[in-house]
Amino acid sequence: MTAQAPAAVITPDTFDFYNVRSLLTEDERQIQDAVARFVDEKVIPVIGHAFDEHRFPKELIPEIASLGLLGCNIEGYDCAGLNHVSYGLICQELERGDSGVRSFVSVQGSLCMYPILTYGNEEQRQRWLPGMARGELIGCFGLTEPDGGSDPGTMKTHAVKKGGDWVINGAKMWITNGTIADVAIVWAMTDDGVRGFLVEKDMAGYTSRDILRKMSLRASITSELFFDNVRVPEANLLPNVRGLKGPLGCLTQARYGITWGGIGAAIACFREALEWAKVRVVFKRPLSHTQTIQRRLADMSRRITTAQLLSLQLGRMKDEGRMHHAQVLMAKWNNVRIALDIARDARDILGAAGISIETHSIRHMLNLESVITYEGTETIHELIVGSQLCGTQAF
Ligand code: TGC
Ligand code: FAD
């Protein structure tokens, strides 16, 4: 008889209970680790203060760019050419720091560089993409209007062809990066349906201003854009798309990244609650020795684990070119919902300390109130998944 090797002792990782990391390639793990280091060393030390001051930490942009995080899943044009799983892991780590930092990267890459790449011509790509990858040129994405965001098909901003130019009138609201953008991707109604335009910051009649006094995403810039007879040359029209599928196609890219971002925010809050529960002594014993606190922490871990598996499978399907946009919506709905619930629960476990900006959970909780609304509200996501199942739209 041969002696059997003793069974290896397996202890689940606290923040990766099902060892989802073992399903990543070595390259993907290295990318995640590099961004995690950046977040630990450069983002987390400054972000609470930036949130408190209602200030986007613009000084991080050069390092975000030099790490290759802007438009990282684009091939060529000075972009890193990573796969979609890597892009997701980047969003996860950035949002572990703050949703505002992840928002900046989502908007630049998924909402601005993606449409220039996909719907633009070669001249537009050469003009904008390399500078945007280097963080020298910033973009914003204007779809939502003051009168509503869930139904962009009813937009009032319009563009009329006059001579060789287009003349745009209207307004956009709640636009991330608006006042720092060199170029706005503006979606406007024309006689030919919705079209996308590259509106440059110096164009006459185009102005922007910041929305102040937000209680959420305070370390991110959110703006209003105004178009008063803005003349845009034909060369700035995105030629290769017509209709709402243009902007909705961009949203699919950004929503995909947010599914991973939610995991990062959830892990940050879970970690904070767990560490607190181990050291906070109440009724003469650490909180972590009580049944209800253990149940709540176990439930956080369960929800994070489910979200990790959902996003990884989504990413693999995206990398294989077989992902449907309704699948992204289910994951964004699930992962942002679990993140928001975990953030609120973590805040409660911290007691009064949890209302201080010195702790992370309340900042994530407040940020996630935006994340569950933007890129389509949770209800809209549910309704789109519902329409996919039932074969009819209910909105
Ligand atoms: P519908 O008839 O359903 O579709 C029109 C065409 O678009 C196609 N399509 C999509 N394509 C790609 N991705 C998607 N997610 C798509 N959804 C639809 C569809 O196949 C169709 O194509 P075709 O060829 O037949 O013309 O259009 P609808 O008007 O009925 O759509 C309704 C609805 C609710 C789905 C849509 O309007 C919607 O998603 N509303 C939510 C709006 C929203 O999410 N806005 C986000 C603004 S940007 C933002 O929030 C940025 S936050 C940035 C940050 O800081 O991170
Ligand atoms: P509304 O459309 O007015 O919806 C209000 C409520 O009604 C929601 O609860 C919604 O779920 C519900 N509702 C709507 N329709 C139905 C229905 N048929 N049945 C049941 N319930 C319904 N937009 C951009 O274009 N670019 C950006 O960069 C951008 N950045 C943002 C940054 C921040 C911080 C925030 C908060 C928003 C940003 N947005 C951006 C806008 C965002 O996409 C919209 O806020 C979002 O799409 C919802 O639109 P709304 O706020 O007009 O809500």
Side-chain angles (χ1 to χ4, degrees), residues 207-226:
T207 49
S208 61
R209 71 170 178 224
D210 281 338
I211 298 173
L212 304 171
R213 310 185 72 203
K214 291 178 297 169
M215 301 297 286
S216 172
L217 278 184
R218 286 171 63 85
S220 168
I221 293 168
T222 316
S223 320
E224 291 175 275
L225 313 180
F226 303 98

Side-chain angles (χ1 to χ4, degrees), residues 331-349:
K332 191 216 165 206
W333 158 26
N334 182 77
N335 293 9
V336 179
R337 166 52 61 191
I338 67 107
L340 180 56
D341 290 346
I342 287 170
R344 287 174 178 161
D345 208 20
R347 210 268 345 125
D348 178 69
I349 288 173

Side-chain angles (χ1 to χ4, degrees), residues 64 293 300 317 378:
I64 289 173
I293 294 288
M300 289 183 192
M317 291 194 292
E378 183 180 55

Side-chain angles (χ1 to χ4, degrees), residues 74-266:
I74 291 176
E75 286 282 351
Y77 307 100
D78 291 353
C79 298
L82 303 179
N83 68 0
H84 297 299
V85 167
S86 299
Y87 172 51
L89 291 162
I90 289 167
C91 289
Q92 178 178 320
E93 290 307 323
L94 292 176
E95 198 144 357
R96 190 171 56 76
D98 192 81
S99 303
V101 179
R102 196 269 309 136
S103 269
F104 172 78
V105 169
S106 292
V107 170
Q108 179 85 344
S110 293
L111 295 184
C112 297
M113 296 172 75
Y114 173 84
I116 294 171
L117 176 80
T118 313
Y119 311 140
N121 56 34
E122 194 49 34
E123 200 183 324
Q124 291 165 342
R125 290 181 200 129
Q126 294 292 353
R127 174 157 180 218
W128 293 105
L129 295 181
M132 292 178 89
R134 289 193 297 270
E136 293 159 5
L137 297 171
I138 305 301
C140 71
F141 178 88
L143 181 63
T144 304
E145 303 203 339
D147 287 338
S150 295
D151 185 13
T154 56
M155 68 176 68
K156 292 185 178 148
T157 299
H158 56 275
V160 178
K161 193 86 187 266
K162 288 207 176 135
D165 295 338
W166 290 85
V167 177
I168 304 184
N169 279 287
K172 299 287 176 182
M173 194 161 180
W174 304 110
I175 306 305
T176 303
N177 298 347
T179 52
I180 56 164
D182 299 282
V183 61
I185 311 287
V186 176
W187 300 96
M189 193 59 80
T190 72
D191 288 344
D192 199 13
V194 173
R195 303 296 304 265
F197 298 89
L198 296 158
V199 177
E200 298 178 39
K201 70 171 177 203
D202 298 330
M203 286 180 166
Y206 170 46
T207 49
S208 61
R209 71 170 178 224
D210 281 338
I211 298 173
L212 304 171
R213 310 185 72 203
K214 291 178 297 169
M215 301 297 286
S216 172
L217 278 184
R218 286 171 63 85
S220 168
I221 293 168
T222 316
S223 320
E224 291 175 275
L225 313 180
F226 303 98
F227 309 93
D228 181 7
N229 286 310
V230 182
R231 285 194 92 88
V232 177
E234 178 74 19
N236 284 34
L237 170 75
L238 293 172
N240 300 325
V241 76
R242 280 179 176 71
L244 258 193
K245 70 175 174 222
L248 294 180
C250 305
L251 294 181
T252 294
Q253 312 310 312
R255 289 165 175 168
Y256 164 77
I258 294 173
T259 75
W260 290 84
I263 299 167

